[in-house]
Every structure is written in structure tokens, then in C-alpha cells.
Amino acid sequence: MAASLYTLVVSGILILNIFLAIALIFLERRDASSTWAWIMILFFIPILGFGIYLLFGRKLRRKHLFRWEGKNKIGIDKLIEFQMEAIEDDSFDFRLDDASHYKELIIMHLHNNHAVLTQDNDVEIFTDGRKKFDALLHDIENAKDHIHIQYYIFRLDNLGQQIYNVLLAKAKQGVKVRILYDDTGSRSLRKRHFKELIALGGRVEAFFPAILPLINPRMNYRNHRKIVVIDGRIGYIGGFNVGDEYLGLNKKFGYWRDTHLRIEGSAVHPLQTRFILDWNQASAEHDIEYSDIFFPAIPLKGTVGLQIVSSGPDSEWEQIKNGYLKLIMMAKKYIYIQTPYFIPDASFMDTLRIACLSGIDVRIMIPNKPDHIFVYWATYSYVGELIKAGAKIYIYENGFLHTKMIVIDDEASTVGTANIDVRSFKLNFEVNAFIYDRETSHQLAEIFEEDMKVSTEMTWEIYEERTKMIKFKESLARLLSPIL
């Protein structure tokens, strides 16, 4: 009897796995590498594999995920149409040649992402958490009307509590405060932790919240964006989340090396739009309606050209990845890349390999320690392959490298939230600033070169000396990389 029951259960699991495998192959129409990775998991760990698939493997319904009627009132559609036509017939007023050299990339973002080009921005770069949050706290303290805060991770530790206390003070002054956090990234956070702020009229929302406490069936499709907009005039975008570790106070990681931008200029309006779209998706009762106060007239602040580009599983195209690829393909002298995770797909690898073989100086910097072990070993596998093509690989030794940055030729660059991996390209909601400005891009290149001084170059000889166990870990991680 027991044997018959065991046989029945095993047969049932096998049949379930077969049907799920058929669905993966014929119904979901994933790319081949991702399909094979999931099939391997389903058949090698049948019961647990099915649970893993439910948490990480299901696709997202794209229809009507982000809606906001106020977009029409900003005139984005008309501005995009005007910019597209003007660039294509060479009548667009490029204030600096830096942007005009990249008009193909600009058109791609305009057409596919509605990312308007702004050319009047002032950009300040932060690579140190303390300096970034000191500046942010100062701007929050001077807010007059509203403060919009969005982070993947928001911890109410020392740093988080310091920010929260300032927000409480501003709410008491009548400033409208809104906080949006990702439910998985900030898994220990609940709305009740903000009850004082809510009592003062502040609003707090979680993106894709868990159905049951501590259980969120949507482990993928997380909102990885980090955006702050203050009074519609000042914007922040980059890699820093809110937590003490981002100040270098975590012993495991040590100094936290990241990159964040403070923006003044017309690019703040696209950041505001992105926040409102995300907020209205998360909010069931407190949607933001259009108001001129969110989009004030901004006097000329600078000369930096910028596009704010978003990507996510709600889009047909991998917007930021495509921007990365186009940027890399336009390089003529050098390509500098900093990323905590380097798990590129075939198109990304081919593009970098071709750049290397074309004599372009390709340099990639990754951290010396993992925060996700499988991702770490997969990263080593891919960079090892690029060394053979002529890329220079640097291992950052001064703490943990979390920055997401690409610079080419001292002319164009991008900074934001998107890592170089499948999760950022396809599964998470991300946002990047694409920058068309020699001075800013040169500054970012100089930062990269300063980081080289506290990094170790991984040569082919060093890479070949790794142990058999490390090679095994790399092979296993590489096999699973399409779903990491």
C-alpha cells in the first residue's frame, strides 16, 4: 500500500513537471537559455523546483500596469513628436555637440521609451554615501511643497530614522510627504512603522505587497528604482538605498562604493513622472492627480544633456539594456563599466567581445566580495571569457562596489539602478540617466580611474590559477545564470 502511494505521488510529480515544462516551452515562449535552466530545475529538484518556479518563474501581465491620465496634461506626447521630427530633419536645436553625436541613441529612447531629451541640467555626482545623504537631508529640510521618495530598500535603522525624523518635521510644516518602497527589498518594513507620518497627512505605499505576512509570491518583478523628487525642482537617481550599510557601517561589506546623481533642471520632470506612475500603481486610495505644483517652471540651471530612461517587465523592449548596447557600439576609444553583477546575455557579450577585438579599450570593474553567491561566481565566469578577447578586468578591493555606470570616450555615460544581468534587463523595474556631456562623462571616467588605484587587475594567468572547486562553482552558476 505504501509502495503504491509512493509510486502514485512520484508519478503525479513527474506528470506535473512534464506539463509545466510543456507550458514553459510552448506557451510562455521564453528564450532558449532561460527555458533550459527552468527545465533543469524542475527535473532535478521536482517538488522544490515547482515551488521555486511559482516564486521566481511566472511572467507578469503587462496590460495597464502603469496608468496616469495626467501625462497628457504635461504635453509629453507632443514634445516627443516635436523632438523626433526635429532630430530626424536636422532642425533640432542641440545646444552642445555632445548630444548631437548621439542622436541615434536619443531617437531610440524617444521613440521606444518616451524619454524626452533635456539640455539644461546641472548634475552633481556622489560616490560616498555620507555625502549623498547629507545633501539629500539638506534638500529635504528646505522643501516647500512636496517630497517624493522611492527606494528599493528603506531601512528604519540609524540612517533611515534620521531621514524619517526630518520628514516628520517637514510634514508638521505642511509639506506633503510620500514614501514608496519595494515590499521585497524592504521586507522588514510595514506601513505601521510610519504611523506618525501618516497621522500628519503623509502617505506611504509598498510596491507589489505580499499577500500573506513574510510570503510574497512575486519574488521577481521588483521595483529596483531609487528616485527622490523635491518640489519638482530637485531630483536624485542612482544606486544608493537607505540603510546604514550604504554609509559603510556593515562589517561584511565595509566601505560602500556607489554612484548617485543630484539633478537640477528639466530632467527632474521626467523623474517626477516616473515616480507618479509608480506611486499610482501601488496606491489603491491615494492616487496623485495632475497639478502644476509637481511640474513648476525651472529656470536654466546648466548645460548637461539628459534622458531619463525606464525599463521593466511591463515593456516589450529591454529599454536600458538596449541603451547600454547602443552606447557601447558607438564607442571609438574606450568603454568603462562598473557593475556589482556581470551576467550578460549573448547580445551583450557579443557586443563587448566585438569592441575588444576592434581595439577599443574595454575595462570592467566588479566587486571583490559577493552579496549574492551564485551571482558572484557567474560574474567571474563571464569576465574570464572577456579577458581572452582583450578586456581588462579590475577587482575593487576597497569595500563593496555597487555602482551601475558606463562611460565611453569622455563624451557620453549612464548612471542609474540597472545592473548588467537578466534580472535588471528583464525582470525588475529600473531607471537610468543617459548623459550626453563631456564634462560630466570625463568626471565619471576620472572616478573610474581613481577606483583602479584600489583595485587588482585580473589577468588571464591569475584567472587560470583558480581551483577546481571554483571552476565547478562557476560552471554551475553559469548554467543557472539565465534565471539568477
Side-chain angles (χ1 to χ4, degrees):
M1 181 68 178
S4 299
L5 181 61
Y6 174 78
T7 302
L8 187 63
V9 171
V10 171
S11 299
I13 292 171
L14 181 61
I15 292 169
L16 182 62
N17 277 345
I18 290 172
F19 276 110
L20 189 53
I22 290 171
L24 279 169
I25 295 170
F26 296 106
L27 299 180
E28 295 204 355
R29 306 183 74 87
R30 298 170 183 265
D31 60 85
S33 59
S34 176
T35 298
W36 279 113
W38 278 117
I39 289 174
M40 185 186 73
I41 287 176
L42 289 172
F43 282 95
F44 277 91
I45 44 176
I47 299 176
L48 181 60
F50 182 70
I52 293 172
Y53 173 78
L54 290 178
L55 287 174
F56 294 99
R58 295 182 302 164
K59 284 194 171 184
L60 180 72
R61 293 183 180 180
R62 298 173 179 171
K63 190 176 181 181
H64 303 312
L65 187 60
F66 296 100
R67 290 179 291 178
W68 181 45
E69 298 303 324
K71 283 182 69 176
N72 298 329
K73 297 181 180 179
I74 308 171
I76 288 179
D77 291 343
K78 291 182 179 179
L79 180 57
I80 290 167
E81 183 180 351
F82 166 77
Q83 289 195 349
M84 285 280 294
E85 291 178 355
I87 292 173
E88 288 174 350
D89 66 17
D90 291 326
S91 64
F92 188 82
D93 180 21
F94 286 108
R95 297 176 187 173
L96 294 172
D97 289 339
D98 303 340
S100 64
H101 292 164
Y102 295 90
K103 67 178 184 179
E104 293 176 2
L105 175 58
I106 292 166
I107 288 174
M108 184 181 76
H109 288 322
L110 268 170
H111 185 265
N112 298 308
N113 199 242
H114 289 187
V116 298
L117 173 66
T118 59
Q119 302 184 91
D120 61 349
N121 302 287
D122 178 75
V123 175
E124 185 176 2
I125 302 168
F126 295 100
T127 60
D128 177 83
R130 292 185 183 276
K131 292 180 180 178
K132 180 257 178 172
F133 286 106
D134 283 347
L136 178 61
L137 285 165
H138 178 267
D139 287 332
I140 290 173
E141 288 171 349
N142 287 282
K144 300 293 190 294
D145 181 79
H146 63 273
I147 301 165
H148 291 164
I149 292 180
Q150 175 178 355
Y151 282 101
Y152 173 65
I153 296 173
F154 195 112
R155 304 192 200 281
L156 282 175
D157 50 16
N158 292 330
L159 174 62
Q161 194 63 51
Q162 183 182 3
I163 294 173
Y164 184 51
N165 290 339
V166 177
L167 292 174
L168 285 175
K170 298 307 295 185
K172 290 176 182 177
Q173 295 173 14
V175 174
K176 190 68 175 179
V177 177
R178 294 179 177 90
I179 299 175
L180 174 61
Y181 64 89
D182 184 83
D183 188 71
T184 296
S186 308
R187 59 177 55 88
S188 63
L189 204 59
R190 297 291 179 270
K191 286 187 182 181
R192 66 176 182 271
H193 295 143
F194 298 97
K195 60 183 180 181
E196 294 174 89
L197 179 64
I198 294 171
L200 291 168
R203 298 286 180 244
V204 179
E205 298 290 352
F207 190 87
F208 280 3
I211 298 173
L212 298 172
L214 303 179
I215 300 176
N216 197 326
R218 286 185 288 199
M219 297 300 289
N220 285 333
Y221 315 125
R222 306 317 312 176
N223 199 315
H224 196 236
R225 295 167 182 150
K226 296 96 177 167
I227 295 171
V228 177
V229 178
I230 299 169
D231 292 342
R233 299 177 182 274
I234 297 171
Y236 284 81
I237 179 175
F240 284 108
N241 288 294
V242 175
D244 288 348
E245 66 264 41
Y246 302 98
L247 301 180
L249 300 178
N250 185 300
K251 292 182 179 179
K252 175 184 176 182
F253 295 113
Y255 180 73
W256 192 278
R257 168 66 183 86
D258 221 320
T259 305
H260 221 91
L261 306 179
R262 180 186 183 275
I263 301 170
E264 288 189 84
S266 296
V268 177
H269 288 178
L271 274 179
Q272 182 81 288
T273 303
R274 181 70 268 166
F275 175 87
I276 292 174
L277 286 165
D278 288 4
W279 175 271
N280 285 355
Q281 193 287 324
S283 175
E285 301 174 354
H286 305 292
D287 281 8
I288 297 176
E289 302 293 339
Y290 174 82
S291 171
D292 289 340
I293 200 70
F294 297 132
F295 300 93
I298 298 177
L300 186 65
K301 286 291 182 180
T303 58
V304 177
L306 265 178
Q307 282 179 296
I308 302 298
V309 179
S310 304
S311 68
D314 59 313
S315 172
E316 182 178 359
W317 310 109
E318 298 167 25
Q319 309 285 10
I320 293 177
K321 187 197 87 169
N322 290 342
Y324 283 175
L325 291 178
K326 187 67 175 175
L327 196 62
I328 290 168
M329 286 188 284
M330 298 181 80
K332 294 179 175 58
K333 299 176 183 177
Y334 76 78
I335 302 163
Y336 290 172
I337 298 174
Q338 287 180 312
T339 177
Y341 320 122
F342 187 78
I343 310 179
D345 60 11
S347 64
F348 207 101
M349 282 293 285
D350 286 342
T351 302
L352 280 177
R353 193 181 293 111
I354 291 169
C356 292
L357 298 175
S358 302
I360 294 172
D361 181 9
V362 177
R363 305 185 188 190
I364 302 170
M365 189 176 295
I366 58 175
N368 72 339
K369 59 188 72 176
D371 63 342
H372 301 291
I373 193 66
F374 268 105
V375 174
Y376 181 72
W377 292 118
T379 291
Y380 265 64
S381 169
Y382 285 104
V383 296
E385 186 176 325
L386 283 175
I387 292 174
K388 293 179 69 175
K392 296 177 181 178
I393 308 300
Y394 296 91
I395 313 299
Y396 185 77
E397 304 286 359
N398 191 40
F400 184 69
L401 182 76
H402 190 250
T403 180
K404 307 94 168 53
M405 181 188 81
I406 299 177
V407 188
I408 69 163
D409 298 347
D410 270 15
E411 291 183 353
S413 51
T414 179
V415 171
T417 69
N419 300 304
I420 298 174
D421 60 12
V422 174
R423 187 159 297 279
S424 280
F425 290 164
K426 292 185 177 182
L427 301 177
N428 283 343
F429 299 93
E430 309 280 2
V431 63
N432 268 53
F434 280 77
I435 304 164
Y436 313 103
D437 179 67
R438 291 178 186 272
E439 184 178 342
T440 306
S441 299
H442 178 70
Q443 188 178 349
L444 289 168
E446 287 185 324
I447 291 169
F448 183 98
E449 290 164 0
E450 282 297 310
D451 288 337
M452 285 172 52
K453 296 176 182 178
V454 290
S455 301
T456 301
E457 183 176 357
M458 179 191 288
T459 63
W460 179 250
E461 290 74 22
I462 293 173
Y463 183 69
E464 280 289 272
E465 289 175 358
R466 67 201 192 285
T467 65
K468 290 182 179 180
M469 179 55 69
I470 291 177
K471 291 179 181 179
F472 172 76
K473 291 177 180 178
E474 284 186 14
S475 298
L476 180 60
R478 179 78 173 245
L479 195 61
L480 296 174
S481 64
I483 60 174
L484 287 177

